[in-house]
Amino acid sequence: MSRWLTEPVPRGRVAALRTLIYLFVAADLVVFTPWVRTRVAVPGELYQPLLVGRVLPLPTPTPALVAVIFWALLLLALLAATGRAPRLLGWAVFALYFEWMIVAMSYGKVDHDRFGLLVALAVLPTAGRARHGDATRTEAGGWALRVTQIAVICTYFLAAWAKLRFGGLDWLTGSVLARAILRRGTELADLIASVPYLLIAAQFGIVAFELFSPVVFLLRERWRLATVGFFYSFHLVTVATITISFAPHLAAMTSFLPLERVRPVVWARRLLARRGRGGGRSAGAAPALAGQASAAGRPDGP
């Protein structure tokens, strides 16, 4: 079991995941959860912190507190994405984002798509230093990625458990998706809803998919990547039909992917180098043609 939990991975994969996760945190602040800053306009007595917020205890959000968290987290996340000071910056980003989420989820609604991302932020600082493109394998990095993967799959499995625990079999045979389509459905969802019993079949399929999601750990790499691709396609259909985004979850799920192979900076440098060499060859063609002309007995110039 310990060997599986600490299966070594290339340091380049850890570096790529670290950059992606911290850049997502910065994007999350300004794209997905900027509404958290509006929470300070709500009367303080409506703030009912989550259990962890009561245990610590954490202060009731104020405009100054939320502003400090926002700007500090935005700056530190961008710095952490560079890979510098991975432990210092990593722990700071985790602490600030954790508080950001407590503020966001302490007014009556808790989103379960943040679990994998929070776990990734908690374990990435333990992976130590890692450089993009480094093929050296690391057990510490392997543990960080594995724990993140487990959190991602637990999100699916526990979601199915919650459906059956609170909704029972009625969740499978009821009108859950129909209500979602009425509230926030798209034209594509309207087309799907017009097919008899398709929504009921989809509800059975969703629960089955979530319950059997842990099987991904038993598959060989090729089939595991194909299964993760299916997970992404499931969320693509979800966004296209009922406009529900699981962006934080999808960011954490990249822990399954061989991210060390994705190196946009290197690709850009190679592209620029090829263009430069192509321009050099074009410029060097003129003297060769001029030399050929001289050999033919014609003047080199006009």
Side-chain angles (χ1 to χ4, degrees):
M1 185 64 177
S2 60
R3 181 180 301 179
W4 179 76
L5 283 172
T6 60
E7 181 180 358
V9 299
R11 292 185 184 275
R13 184 177 305 181
V14 176
L17 179 66
R18 178 177 285 151
T19 297
L20 188 151
I21 291 295
Y22 291 137
L23 287 179
F24 178 84
V25 168
D28 186 48
L29 292 174
V30 298
V31 177
F32 298 108
T33 60
W35 48 266
V36 175
R37 301 180 71 182
T38 66
R39 289 289 192 249
V40 297
V42 178
E45 56 268 19
L46 296 181
Y47 174 70
Q48 298 181 356
L50 303 175
L51 176 61
V52 64
R54 299 193 299 271
V55 170
L56 288 179
L58 297 173
T60 300
T62 63
L65 175 64
V66 173
V68 168
I69 294 173
F70 176 85
W71 290 109
L73 182 54
L74 182 61
L75 175 61
L76 292 178
L78 292 175
L79 290 175
T82 66
R84 298 179 182 275
R87 290 185 175 86
L88 176 63
L89 293 176
W91 289 122
V93 170
F94 168 69
L96 289 171
Y97 191 78
F98 191 58
E99 170 63 6
W100 184 257
M101 285 294 99
I102 291 175
V103 173
M105 307 301 169
S106 294
Y107 292 86
K109 181 177 181 292
V110 179
D111 296 330
H112 66 286
D113 63 342
R114 305 272 162 176
F115 179 59
L117 179 64
L118 280 168
V119 170
L121 291 174
V123 298
L124 278 174
T126 68
R129 292 188 176 277
R131 297 183 62 183
H132 290 272
D134 188 351
T136 306
R137 292 185 173 268
T138 165
E139 290 187 353
W143 180 83
L145 266 66
R146 184 69 77 198
V147 172
T148 303
Q149 294 169 1
I150 292 173
V152 168
I153 298 304
C154 282
T155 301
Y156 288 130
F157 186 83
L158 295 178
W161 174 256
K163 292 179 177 67
L164 297 176
R165 178 187 177 189
F166 297 104
L169 295 179
D170 290 340
W171 198 98
L172 299 171
T173 59
S175 56
V176 176
L177 290 181
R179 290 197 300 269
I181 291 174
L182 289 174
R183 289 177 56 237
R184 52 193 305 164
T186 63
E187 294 182 0
L188 175 60
D190 293 337
L191 293 174
I192 295 174
S194 64
V195 180
Y197 302 107
L198 183 56
L199 294 183
I200 298 297
Q203 288 169 186
F204 274 90
I206 289 171
V207 172
F209 145 63
E210 291 175 336
L211 285 176
F212 286 98
S213 59
V215 174
V216 70
F217 291 119
L218 304 178
L219 302 176
R220 295 181 181 273
E221 182 178 7
R222 178 181 177 183
W223 291 105
R224 183 168 61 248
L225 292 177
T227 303
V228 173
F230 168 77
F231 293 169
Y232 276 104
S233 66
F234 167 78
H235 291 287
L236 179 62
V237 172
T238 301
V239 171
T241 53
I242 55 178
T243 62
I244 294 179
S245 170
F246 280 77
H249 177 79
L250 300 182
M253 195 156 61
T254 58
S255 57
F256 281 98
L257 305 179
L259 295 177
E260 70 276 11
R261 302 177 187 174
V262 183
R263 304 188 63 190
V265 175
V266 174
W267 296 343
R269 289 174 178 172
R270 289 176 179 173
L271 181 60
L272 292 174
R274 288 174 184 172
R275 289 183 177 179
R277 288 195 296 268
R281 284 194 297 268
S282 299
L289 292 176
Q292 292 175 3
S294 298
R298 300 187 181 93
D300 290 341

